[in-house]
Amino acid sequence: MAKSKQLRVTVVRSFANRVASHKACIAGLGLRRMHDSVLVANTPENRGMINKVSYMLSVEEV
């Protein structure tokens, strides 16, 4: 299978009262509120941010 070039990232848990670096990762991905979804490129930089806050996100390949 070919690698997907984009990922759909959705916030499924609240990021209120979280560590500042985790909030920064959420903002860096372009997410603003609960149940917000964005398409991001499947790059090592974005994967690193997703892995850091994976407990708050749902990720799908597009």
Side-chain angles (χ1 to χ4, degrees):
M1 258 189 190
K3 267 193 149 182
S4 175
K5 294 188 180 192
Q6 288 195 328
L7 302 170
R8 180 180 310 278
V9 183
T10 306
V11 179
V12 294
R13 294 188 65 179
S14 174
F15 47 91
N17 299 324
R18 302 289 180 183
V19 180
S21 62
H22 290 202
K23 288 181 181 182
C25 287
I26 294 288
L29 290 167
L31 298 164
R32 295 173 181 236
R33 61 186 67 88
M34 285 285 298
H35 308 293
D36 197 9
S37 293
V38 294
L39 289 175
V40 296
N42 190 5
T43 62
E45 295 83 6
N46 287 338
R47 278 288 186 179
M49 288 192 284
I50 290 169
N51 287 337
K52 189 169 189 175
V53 293
S54 62
Y55 65 96
M56 290 189 277
L57 303 175
S58 170
V59 181
E60 305 170 7
E61 291 183 359
V62 178

